[in-house]
Amino acid sequence: MSYELRALIGMVELLTVAAAEVPAARVVPLTQGLALIPVTSAVLSALQGDAAVPKPGGGAGFGWHPDGFELRLAAWSKAGPIACVEAEYFGGTGTQRAAVWSDGRVVLGPLSSAESEPVPAEGTPISRALRWLGGQVEPGRTDEFASVGLGAHRSTADWAAG
């Protein structure tokens, strides 16, 4: 079974403001006061309108970021921390990437995990980003990823469809 996600995660209020600036963006509530915006091809196309702005820092490790995306994340993060995450799994193995922006700059990451890497003691990149955003492991859950509800859908498209 596969799992694929590209998303922005932050507090519901912050993402509601951010989504108002990006046609096609949809805010999907998680738990613990967090929400996500699935980064679909329609959202990427809307963000591509910022292509005239140079991409600082080489895309923070995310090959799919349109030019200028990090500047927009930096601007949004002045109102509160925001994470950019991606995960791709098939048959129980895969990769994750996460970075968190706050106060206009990257404060965590970019963090990556490779297919064959064991999970470090501090957790996966996405769990570490969620922890930075205030996510906590709930009783009976294995990590922040599961606790906030990121297992509810298996793909970015499913998150966008609701």
Side-chain angles (χ1 to χ4, degrees), residues 61-130:
F62 297 85
W64 49 270
H65 280 189
D67 289 346
F69 189 43
E70 286 78 21
L71 294 177
R72 187 167 277 194
L73 288 169
W76 289 332
S77 77
K78 290 180 181 177
I82 188 168
C84 185
V85 303
E86 69 179 19
E88 290 188 35
Y89 284 88
F90 185 81
T93 62
T95 61
Q96 283 189 17
R97 180 163 300 154
V100 177
W101 281 255
S102 186
D103 295 322
R105 61 187 176 83
V106 175
V107 294
L108 179 69
L111 305 172
S112 297
S113 66
E115 233 176 79
S116 58
E117 272 182 26
V119 175
E122 62 270 14
T124 66
I126 293 176
S127 284
R128 290 177 62 192
L130 291 168

Side-chain angles (χ1 to χ4, degrees), residues 1-57:
M1 185 168 285
S2 66
Y3 182 92
E4 171 270 324
L5 177 66
R6 286 184 181 170
L8 301 178
I9 301 176
M11 299 303 289
V12 173
E13 300 81 10
L14 173 63
L15 292 190
T16 300
V17 171
E21 297 179 19
V22 182
R26 178 176 185 272
V27 177
V28 181
L30 297 168
T31 63
Q32 302 185 18
L34 297 172
L36 67 76
I37 294 175
V39 181
T40 62
S41 58
V43 170
L44 286 173
S45 292
L47 290 167
Q48 199 62 45
D50 293 339
V53 180
K55 184 191 304 187

